[in-house]
Amino acid sequence: PAGRDGGKRRAWALTFINSAVCVGTGLPAVARVFQGTFGGCMVGSCSVLWPREVLEGRSELAKMGVILFIGNMLADIVVGLMDYRQHLALLTGWVHHMLYSLFLAQVLTTESSLAFSCFFLEEVPTILLSLGRLRGTRYDLPFGVAFCTTRIVYHMWGMASIWMHRDGLVVFRYYWFLVLTIFLHVHWFRAWVRSYLTLLRRKELLD
């Protein structure tokens, strides 16, 4: 469709594609994380920390995922300028996308793409959100569960692992980013909980 609604659909389609690609390119790194932790229990060497070799490793697939992530954010700005400029927020649009792109460029220069791609699993909630917007369907509970599991629990697990491996770890220089994002994720999750509880109360009143 033409106009603002069509533009928003294009933006959500870009978001869905980007999130799916991020998760796909990050799965090998995530698999190595789980293999290096819980996988060791099969041979009696369990570890609760992400393997240091994953946090220090390199991967062309992970690098490609980061580059595509940057490209999507720039494309999102272009689509916003063409289709719904008045709805392109300064903070969550221009500032967020440009600063995030600069941050990811720094991640590329320090060969930290593999460690960063471990966190691509946190894009699963975005897949559910964008899919719901494209299909006109609500995935409230699956979104909330996925958000809490990946963007809070899994994220904090990664933070703890990087902190314990911090000596001489290049990716530790980005720890400030992990701290900022966990506060943001908790803030967003609290907002989702309030919204979801309001939705449940409205359904009870209708019943």
Side-chain angles (χ1 to χ4, degrees):
R4 182 169 61 88
D5 291 337
K8 284 189 173 182
R9 284 187 62 83
R10 280 190 289 273
W12 281 114
L14 281 173
T15 301
F16 175 78
I17 293 171
N18 175 66
S19 301
V21 169
C22 284
V23 172
T25 56
L27 281 179
V30 174
R32 291 176 62 180
V33 165
F34 280 93
Q35 183 180 9
T37 52
F38 300 111
C41 296
M42 301 295 293
V43 293
S45 60
C46 290
S47 173
V48 296
L49 300 177
W50 292 11
R52 188 181 181 97
E53 56 267 25
V54 176
L55 298 175
E56 292 181 322
R58 299 180 181 182
S59 166
E60 291 302 316
L61 180 63
K63 183 182 294 186
M64 181 183 71
V66 173
I67 293 172
L68 290 173
F69 202 160
I70 295 174
N72 174 77
M73 284 187 289
L74 298 178
D76 191 37
I77 290 179
V78 171
V79 171
L81 287 174
M82 292 190 304
D83 293 309
Y84 54 100
R85 181 176 303 191
Q86 69 274 24
H87 296 278
L88 189 62
L90 176 63
L91 183 61
T92 59
W94 286 96
V95 175
H96 172 271
H97 285 19
M98 298 307 295
L99 290 180
Y100 210 156
S101 296
L102 291 173
F103 167 75
L104 291 179
Q106 182 66 22
V107 168
L108 288 172
T109 60
T110 56
E111 297 288 347
S112 302
S113 300
L114 182 61
F116 185 81
S117 70
C118 294
F119 293 93
F120 276 163
L121 187 65
E122 299 179 18
E123 287 300 305
V124 170
T126 309
I127 291 177
L128 294 173
L129 179 63
S130 55
L131 183 62
R133 293 298 180 93
L134 289 170
R135 299 183 60 184
T137 305
R138 299 183 68 101
Y139 299 107
D140 297 294
L141 187 57
F143 171 84
V145 172
F147 193 100
C148 182
T149 303
T150 61
R151 296 205 175 192
I152 296 180
V153 178
Y154 179 80
H155 188 95
M156 293 182 69
W157 184 27
M159 289 180 64
S161 298
I162 292 174
W163 178 264
M164 295 302 294
H165 289 306
R166 66 187 181 278
D167 292 340
L169 190 66
V170 173
V171 74
F172 183 68
R173 69 178 63 184
Y174 304 121
Y175 201 77
W176 60 269
F177 180 80
L178 297 176
V179 173
L180 287 178
T181 51
I182 191 60
F183 278 108
L184 185 60
H185 293 169
V186 170
H187 172 72
W188 284 342
F189 186 66
R190 288 181 60 190
W192 175 85
V193 170
R194 290 195 296 267
S195 175
Y196 187 66
L197 292 177
T198 300
L199 178 64
L200 290 180
R201 285 193 290 268
R202 288 177 180 174
K203 287 184 176 180
E204 288 178 357
L205 291 175
L206 292 175
D207 293 339

